[in-house]
Amino acid sequence: ATGGKRKNPTRNKGRSQPKTSQASRIGDQNISEQKQACKKHELYVSFRELGWQDWIIAPEGYAAFYCDGECSFPLNAHMNATNHAIVQTLVHLMFPDNVPKPCCAPTKLNAISVLYFDDSSNVILKKYRNMVVRSCGCH
Amino acid sequence: DNHVHSSFIYRRLRNHERREIQREILSILGLPHRPKPFSPAKQASSAPLFMLDLYNAMATEEAEEDALLEDTGKAISMNSLGNSRKSQHSAPYGYSRAPVAWTSQSPPLATSHDANFLNDADMVMSFVNLVERDRDFSHQRRHYKEFRFDLTQIPDGEAVTAAEFRIYKDHSHGRYENVTLKVSIYQVIKEYQNRDAETFLLDSKKIRASDGGWLVFDITATSNHWVLNPQQNMGLQLCVETMDGRSINMKSAGIIGRSGPQSKQPFLVAFFKASEVLLRSVR
């Protein structure tokens, strides 16, 4: 039902794209297929880069990851979609201007531990639960 | 998977971006500002090596959990193949489960109840010993060592689940070699100008003078008391006596103090559990 309405890829991009981007090269292919499906991407937080070696003993940094990508119809198996996301997609198809698509978000989170000195040189080992994305999915 | 998403920033951060990211990451770590630990000597005395061991044990546990989760996933899917692997926990953190608090010479991680404390803990802290000058001799000619720890730095919302005072004892030879010694730890209740402090016995251990290794004293109750009543925190005193009550000099008993190597400094370690769900402040 959303048929003819196409988003303008350049407007949607809103990001500096290298001139020879894949989208322009592929021509008339269906835009949503070109867009990446919802998945986990690497983001590394380096305590070293942040200049924190004098108070963080371990680790040197951690792979933080983030979720990004499209949750468009059809939501197929590898998109790790919740049942709710499927309903959200159907309702979006019916009311595209009012109801958003499902969004790409973490489905599982991991803990990390950080060892550091506090202001008084005591040593603190802290476990941060639900800190790092383990897997992404459409919600 | 190594596709770089078109919006990823691959360039050196500008100063203000760097400050902004630092502030963001500090708030994720639940820290109002970046700590500025001073005096490396103090850092040396807060048992970083012991804590690094705990950190490695914790990191191993997290990796094992990951593998377990994946295994479980696979195990479920392999069930139909009929050879699912038992998801059996090995002893957490790979501790050797020595049944007594008197442990080997290796770093002092080998007590079984540590494994449980670490399992539950959200946070572990080792504290700097604040006593700068050792006064070896009390007014009543008793040999003792003093230790003070500042427990007011504990982040809000954390409750002490266990606390231990650890001190290393070397093999002592010479005239005490075959003697049994009693090492006792006291909480200082009240101090006086011209006479011995009023103390309360917390724990004591009988050891042979010729043995060497870590002594672990349980001071959970005292730590909780100090957290709730910081003004009553007057530190600890440690004494060594023969079985017939004669006070013995620390050095001849083999007790290692501040002058020992970093890996054998006495320290207090406390295990904490968050007593409430800590929410990041909304920015």
Side-chain angles (χ1 to χ4, degrees):
Chain A
T2 57
K5 208 175 265 175
R6 267 167 177 264
K7 295 198 186 86
N8 174 338
T10 47
R11 185 176 62 76
N12 215 8
K13 284 282 180 214
R15 300 168 186 144
S16 58
Q17 268 275 18
K19 281 275 171 294
T20 56
S21 78
Q22 224 174 2
S24 56
R25 275 201 313 276
I26 291 177
D28 285 349
Q29 205 171 345
N30 175 303
I31 292 292
S32 61
E33 277 191 17
Q34 283 170 13
K35 290 221 177 79
Q36 289 243 301
C38 168
K39 62 183 269 191
K40 183 171 84 169
H41 295 267
E42 177 95 15
L43 172 69
Y44 187 76
V45 174
S46 164
F47 294 141
R48 174 182 290 278
E49 284 288 319
L50 293 169
W52 284 352
Q53 303 92 308
D54 61 322
W55 64 280
I56 289 193
I57 305 171
E60 285 205 357
Y62 66 99
F65 303 109
Y66 66 96
C67 300
D68 191 15
E70 282 290 319
C71 287
S72 298
F73 179 84
L75 291 178
N76 44 38
H78 80 285
M79 292 179 68
N80 195 12
T82 59
N83 290 340
H84 169 73
I86 294 167
V87 172
Q88 186 84 19
T89 302
L90 294 177
V91 178
H92 169 73
L93 286 176
M94 289 187 284
F95 309 104
D97 294 333
N98 300 323
V99 178
K101 292 178 194 173
C103 64
C104 177
T107 49
K108 282 196 192 72
L109 293 162
N110 269 358
I112 69 164
S113 307
V114 179
L115 187 70
Y116 59 95
F117 286 111
D118 70 2
D119 280 318
S120 312
S121 295
N122 301 315
V123 176
I124 296 178
L125 168 60
K126 192 147 184 168
K127 179 186 271 192
Y128 296 92
R129 299 182 195 277
N130 300 327
M131 177 82 163
V132 172
V133 173
R134 179 180 170 74
S135 58
C136 300
C138 289
H139 285 280
Chain B
D1 263 1
N2 59 5
H3 167 72
V4 173
H5 193 276
S6 55
S7 65
F8 208 79
I9 303 174
Y10 263 98
R11 57 177 173 69
R12 187 152 291 285
L13 295 173
R14 295 192 189 80
N15 282 344
H16 73 280
E17 288 171 328
R18 183 192 180 91
R19 274 197 301 279
E20 187 59 32
I21 286 183
Q22 284 172 337
R23 208 169 27 170
E24 194 68 29
I25 303 291
L26 280 171
S27 111
I28 287 176
L29 297 177
L31 296 172
H33 62 272
R34 61 156 289 164
K36 289 190 177 56
F38 47 84
S39 108
K42 278 203 181 299
Q43 287 179 8
S45 76
S46 56
L49 296 179
F50 168 80
M51 295 297 280
L52 194 54
D53 270 348
L54 283 190
Y55 167 83
N56 289 330
M58 213 179 241
T60 310
E61 187 256 334
E62 280 152 12
E64 269 186 10
E65 258 181 35
D66 277 355
L68 197 63
L69 281 173
E70 270 174 51
D71 271 359
T72 315
K74 279 191 203 116
I76 288 170
S77 61
M78 284 168 71
N79 242 354
S80 52
L81 301 178
N83 62 348
S84 70
R85 188 162 70 180
K86 271 198 187 339
S87 55
Q88 199 161 358
H89 250 290
S90 59
Y93 315 115
Y95 278 116
S96 61
R97 292 187 177 275
V100 295
W102 174 251
T103 60
S104 67
Q105 309 232 354
S106 62
L109 292 179
T111 53
S112 54
H113 62 278
D114 280 350
N116 296 331
F117 297 149
L118 200 56
N119 239 351
D120 297 339
D122 297 314
M123 188 179 79
V124 185
M125 265 181 96
S126 70
F127 294 85
V128 170
N129 175 17
L130 299 178
V131 171
E132 292 298 332
R133 287 185 330 291
D134 268 341
R135 282 180 295 174
D136 280 333
F137 232 7
S138 75
H139 295 283
Q140 288 168 6
R141 325 291 306 152
R142 198 161 54 85
H143 293 279
Y144 73 103
K145 241 182 197 340
E146 276 183 309
F147 302 94
R148 275 180 197 272
F149 303 99
D150 176 6
L151 269 69
T152 58
Q153 309 289 318
I154 298 168
D156 292 339
E158 296 280 354
V160 176
T161 52
E164 298 169 341
F165 174 70
R166 292 171 174 248
I167 193 160
Y168 194 85
K169 180 195 166 311
D170 251 341
H171 309 281
S172 57
H173 301 293
R175 62 191 178 141
Y176 296 113
E177 183 150 6
N178 294 314
V179 170
T180 299
L181 301 175
K182 188 170 87 170
V183 182
S184 308
I185 190 88
Y186 298 86
Q187 176 186 341
V188 175
I189 304 294
K190 200 168 184 184
E191 287 178 313
Y192 300 97
Q193 273 301 321
N194 300 315
R195 61 189 179 88
D196 277 9
E198 191 181 324
T199 59
F200 173 77
L201 176 63
L202 295 181
D203 199 356
S204 61
K205 305 219 179 288
K206 289 195 183 81
I207 52 174
R208 274 182 309 121
S210 56
D211 281 352
W214 283 98
L215 292 176
V216 180
F217 297 92
D218 183 351
I219 55 165
T220 305
T222 299
S223 300
N224 264 311
H225 174 66
W226 286 343
V227 167
L228 297 171
N229 310 278
Q231 71 287 1
Q232 293 183 20
N233 177 354
M234 290 183 215
L236 302 171
Q237 281 189 7
L238 182 106
C239 304
V240 182
E241 296 163 319
T242 58
M243 294 314 288
D244 53 8
R246 264 176 320 112
S247 171
I248 290 200
N249 173 285
M250 293 293 159
K251 196 161 278 172
S252 49
I255 296 290
I256 303 291
R258 193 188 3 272
S259 56
Q262 184 188 26
S263 60
K264 294 182 179 175
Q265 298 269 320
F267 61 93
L268 184 152
V269 62
F271 298 81
F272 298 85
K273 185 120 183 92
S275 47
E276 67 203 48
V277 173
L278 295 179
L279 293 178
R280 267 182 76 224
S281 53
V282 178
R283 290 160 62 87

